[in-house]
Amino acid sequence: MTMSDSMANTETVATDRKVASSASAGTAPSLRIDGVSAAQLESVGIHAWFGERLVLENVDLVMERTKVTALIGPSGCGKSTFLRILNRMHEIVPSASLAGRVELDGDDIYDPNQRAATVRRHIGMVFQRPNPFPAMSIRDNVLAGLRFNKIRSSHKDEIVEEALVKAGLWSEVKDRQGALGGALSGGQQQRLCIARALAVKPAVLLMDEPCSALDPGSTLRIEQTIQEIAEEVTVVIVTHNMQQALRVSDKTAFFLAQDGNPGYIVEAGPTKEIFESPKDPRTADYVNGRFG
Amino acid sequence: MTNTTTTVTPIKISSKRSAEDRAFRGLARGAGLGTFVILFLIGLFLLIEAIPAFRSQGLRFFTNTGWQTTGPHPTFGVLSALTGSIIISIIGLAVAIPVSLATALFINEYAPAKVLGFVPVKNFLTAAVDLMAAVPSIIYGMWGFFVLQPHTTGLEQWLSTYLGFIPVFKSSTGLYTSSFLICGIIVGIMCMPIITSLCREVFSLTPNGEREGAMSLGASRARVIRDVVFPFAKGGVIGSIMLGLGRALGEAIAVAIIISLAFPINFHILQAGGNSIAALIALNWGSGGSLGTSALLAAGLVLFAITLIINMVASRIVNASMADRR
Ligand SMILES: Nc1ncnc2c1ncn2[C@@H]1O[C@H](COP(=O)(O)OP(=O)(O)OP(=O)(O)O)[C@@H](O)[C@H]1O
Ligand SMILES: [Mg+2]
């Protein structure tokens, strides 16, 4: 790609972003994101409840821009809950509540004037189980986010191609973009979901065990994808696979919930340190597979 | 390549069934078969009983509009009753579909589970809709006659005064009671609970993963409904509408109470007087001699055939719209 090519691309994206935020402007202060590159996400004193039950206690974590942060920990310690708090998906569970702040480049995403939909459009999510829209074509799946946000674009073909290339799916589907999203294999569906999330140019991408239902080949493919996209989007990934955390992440946070107590972060830091010289013995036990 | 003609045929897998399994299977199969047998027997009964009527009128039974079954030259036909049934059903569905879809969406997507911490709005609404389905049709008929009709003449007058240039809204009699419109509204209200509760059911089956997928891309609630819930529920919604249509076509008592039977074919929905197969049968049963009874059963056969066809078409549509999910 030449320099002018990439400039042109950047411009397209920047205009699209402007359309989106002016559409959602109204009363809500639109998130102050510069549009093209990633943003830093920070949680401050996050607590979470389901009904009366406290499941997360006082979670502080900085997820630096263009870095990959891995969340690890035993089952049920609140990783998914934490991840869903980061893009306001937690609140759609009727019994769920929370306390604390989440800041995207300094803006509180839980500001009362902030629309949840706008937040989610900037902080994308890939789920554990691939969930493409089965009755939409592959192309429409990728463009769904633009449609949902009423973003008009005359560069749809480029957007589709760019997103599918980044998700590592382009070569497999470029000749059958009209096929239904549900007609792909599980691994392809997951990459389609990644493409779909990338097409709206999020500042942050949250991934909840994105490879847990996939074969080793697809897993490798997605890990490559994560490392490629991390150049322009902040990635937060939940994983049970220690090797995966080691391979893809720059920073790791170890969550733990013991004996029915709420989950919290035992230790967080550069991935290398967490795996090679953890400060807490429980972290050492966990990353070396001695419990959990 | 190996010789493909060497015969490897699939083995036939069979295994012994337990006595319990066999008994249950037989029972289920019998019940399933029974449904068909009953349906067939009803059709056969109607057909046999209708023969004298068809003998008397031939194909004119489908084109005649009058209903004269006694005297030396009986002439009768189902055409005006049939058009009446269709008109009432169309009005009924026009009333029922938007209200039902909106109610089902509200219950499923918007109604809070609880208000003030203890009023279970969602459950109340669901129960209320189901209760509406349990109200006998004669009650709706009487309500329509005594309450709805006297209170809507103003509306009807207004419609015919200002929209009278559209033929359906013209009223040449100046009477606005006992009209297709009132019947249609009542029938619509009666269809509403079926359509609402079936739609609510299918809406609630929308896969959570797809919902969350759309939300995580920044879709508003309305978007999720439009682009995820509706496409998913399409087949079920059509099916529920068809069931409602079945009820609308077959509704006798409520229509019989309200309509004043008139045999010329009438497309003026505000004007007094109309007809419908079910109401015709209900109002004329036991009069008109043996040919009269046969004629009514022939009309019943027409209704029976139409509802069967509608249901068959509906299941086709439902299957086709579900196909892209499998
Ligand atoms: N919808 C819900 N309603 C009630 N409790 C919930 C709900 N979702 C999660 N929980 C509870 O919250 C706690 C944290 O769950 P969470 O799904 O965040 O764990 P996790 O770390 O993602 O686990 P896993 O690794 O198994 O996915 C668990 O104790 C769980 O039982
Ligand atoms: Mg989880």
Side-chain angles (χ1 to χ4, degrees):
Chain A
M1 210 186 332
T2 66
M3 188 63 185
S4 66
D5 265 347
S6 76
M7 287 287 286
N9 257 345
T10 309
E11 240 168 60
T12 319
V13 168
T15 354
D16 281 345
R17 180 65 62 92
K18 208 180 284 158
V19 174
S21 48
S22 69
S24 58
T27 55
S30 62
L31 294 165
R32 256 198 339 261
I33 317 160
D34 57 9
V36 188
S37 56
Q40 171 173 298
L41 196 60
E42 180 173 4
S43 81
V44 185
I46 286 293
H47 291 64
W49 293 262
F50 286 107
E52 297 293 309
R53 192 166 149 246
L54 183 65
V55 298
L56 273 181
E57 190 168 29
N58 208 19
V59 178
D60 296 327
L61 187 65
V62 177
M63 290 143 278
E64 285 160 58
R65 63 195 298 276
T66 72
K67 294 276 165 58
V68 178
T69 303
L71 311 181
I72 60 170
S75 181
C77 65
K79 305 179 296 296
S80 299
T81 305
F82 179 65
L83 203 67
R84 289 166 64 91
I85 287 174
L86 297 179
N87 74 337
R88 298 193 58 170
M89 292 295 282
H90 180 63
E91 68 205 50
I92 68 177
V93 177
S95 67
S97 54
L98 67 100
R101 278 200 325 276
V102 177
E103 291 177 357
L104 184 67
D105 271 357
D107 288 335
D108 185 0
I109 66 167
Y110 283 97
D111 184 297
N113 291 319
Q114 193 62 63
R115 274 199 219 146
T118 313
V119 169
R120 293 181 196 131
R121 177 222 173 297
H122 291 295
I123 307 177
M125 187 163 216
V126 175
F127 298 80
Q128 182 170 357
R129 294 224 336 244
N131 56 354
F133 304 117
M136 281 186 204
S137 67
I138 292 172
R139 181 186 157 86
D140 288 347
N141 261 283
V142 177
L143 293 173
L146 300 194
R147 207 153 87 99
F148 294 157
N149 294 285
K150 301 196 185 73
I151 301 173
R152 263 184 278 280
S153 169
S154 47
H155 306 276
K156 293 221 168 98
D157 290 341
E158 288 87 340
I159 292 174
V160 171
E161 177 170 352
E162 195 188 327
L164 286 171
V165 167
K166 277 188 199 153
L169 190 59
W170 175 248
S171 59
E172 287 157 72
V173 302
K174 64 169 184 276
D175 298 323
R176 49 173 185 138
Q177 291 179 39
L180 292 179
L184 296 172
S185 78
Q188 291 173 327
Q189 286 186 8
Q190 191 64 304
R191 279 178 278 149
L192 180 59
C193 291
I194 295 174
R196 177 177 80 178
L198 291 175
V200 290
K201 304 280 171 195
V204 180
L205 186 62
L206 310 174
M207 307 176 103
D208 195 349
E209 299 182 50
C211 303
S212 66
L214 305 184
D215 64 291
S218 301
T219 301
L220 202 66
R221 199 80 205 71
I222 287 177
E223 287 180 10
Q224 280 169 4
T225 302
I226 292 170
Q227 295 193 303
E228 284 159 25
I229 61 176
E231 288 166 16
E232 46 195 271
V233 56
T234 304
V235 176
V236 185
I237 179 173
V238 173
T239 179
H240 280 287
N241 182 335
M242 295 304 113
Q243 295 310 311
Q244 183 169 68
L246 202 51
R247 281 193 297 264
V248 301
S249 71
D250 306 295
K251 181 173 180 175
T252 296
F254 172 51
F255 283 69
L256 193 60
Q258 280 165 315
D259 313 323
N261 289 322
Y264 62 101
I265 292 185
V266 173
E267 188 172 355
T271 299
K272 245 180 148 34
E273 280 175 27
I274 295 289
F275 279 84
E276 284 167 11
S277 51
K279 297 190 185 67
D280 196 296
R282 291 168 300 178
T283 314
D285 285 349
Y286 184 75
V287 298
N288 292 313
R290 285 195 283 271
F291 81 88
Chain B
M1 261 324 269
T2 53
N3 185 0
T4 46
T5 53
T6 51
T7 47
V8 179
T9 49
I11 59 165
K12 213 180 177 110
I13 300 172
S14 62
S15 48
K16 278 204 168 126
R17 295 196 182 88
S18 69
E20 192 187 22
D21 199 11
R22 273 205 305 276
F24 194 75
R25 217 175 130 89
L27 212 68
R29 187 184 278 174
L33 224 66
T35 319
F36 272 109
V37 170
I38 289 172
L39 209 59
F40 176 76
L41 286 180
I42 291 175
L44 193 66
F45 155 77
L46 287 171
L47 192 65
I48 290 169
E49 294 294 320
I51 285 173
F54 287 130
R55 278 245 171 82
S56 150
Q57 299 298 305
L59 283 179
R60 275 172 299 144
F61 181 74
F62 297 101
T63 54
N64 278 346
T65 54
W67 200 262
Q68 179 61 49
T69 55
T70 51
H73 302 292
T75 50
F76 53 88
V78 80
L79 188 61
S80 100
L82 182 58
T83 44
S85 290
I86 293 170
I87 291 170
I88 291 173
S89 304
I90 291 172
I91 298 171
L93 288 186
V95 171
I97 293 171
V99 179
S100 306
L101 288 182
T103 311
L105 276 180
F106 178 72
I107 294 177
N108 215 45
E109 307 287 328
Y110 292 100
K114 279 198 177 135
V115 161
L116 303 173
F118 69 96
V119 186
V121 183
K122 213 167 177 151
N123 293 349
F124 269 179
L125 275 172
T126 311
V129 169
D130 291 343
L131 214 63
M132 262 185 89
V135 174
S137 53
I138 192 154
I139 306 285
Y140 284 109
M142 292 192 298
W143 180 77
F145 186 85
F146 287 114
V147 182
L148 187 70
Q149 179 159 285
H151 286 93
T152 49
T153 42
L155 168 76
E156 285 158 17
Q157 222 153 8
W158 187 90
L159 281 174
S160 93
T161 309
Y162 294 102
L163 296 175
F165 62 91
I166 305 170
V168 275
F169 291 122
K170 214 175 83 187
S171 172
S172 41
T173 58
L175 286 170
Y176 298 105
T177 52
S178 308
S179 65
F180 277 143
L181 184 70
I182 303 284
C183 291
I185 293 174
I186 289 297
V187 165
I189 292 174
M190 293 169 62
C191 297
M192 222 199 75
I194 317 174
I195 302 180
T196 305
S197 82
L198 286 174
C199 285
R200 187 183 56 75
E201 198 82 20
V202 273
F203 289 160
S204 74
L205 294 177
T206 310
N208 208 30
E210 284 168 47
R211 260 176 209 277
E212 294 201 336
M215 292 178 83
S216 75
L217 288 168
S220 63
R221 215 172 254 242
R223 272 281 159 184
V224 174
I225 291 171
R226 227 173 78 186
D227 287 357
V228 177
V229 178
F230 277 168
F232 171 81
K234 200 171 54 186
V237 169
I238 294 170
S240 74
I241 290 172
M242 291 295 170
L243 274 178
L245 180 59
R247 169 140 207 209
L249 279 171
E251 180 46 41
I253 292 302
V255 175
I257 287 178
I258 294 165
I259 206 99
S260 56
L261 224 48
F263 287 95
I265 292 182
N266 171 17
F267 290 105
H268 309 305
I269 62 171
L270 301 175
Q271 189 173 304
N275 205 340
S276 101
I277 295 184
L280 173 75
I281 297 172
L283 289 171
N284 283 349
W285 194 253
S287 64
S290 68
L291 184 59
T293 304
S294 168
L296 292 176
L297 285 162
L301 179 65
V302 172
L303 189 60
F304 181 74
I306 289 175
T307 25
L308 268 191
I309 291 169
I310 286 176
N311 272 304
M312 265 142 59
V313 171
S315 65
R316 273 278 170 86
I317 297 174
V318 172
N319 284 340
S321 68
M322 299 291 246
D324 51 359
R325 292 224 141 236
R326 286 174 199 139

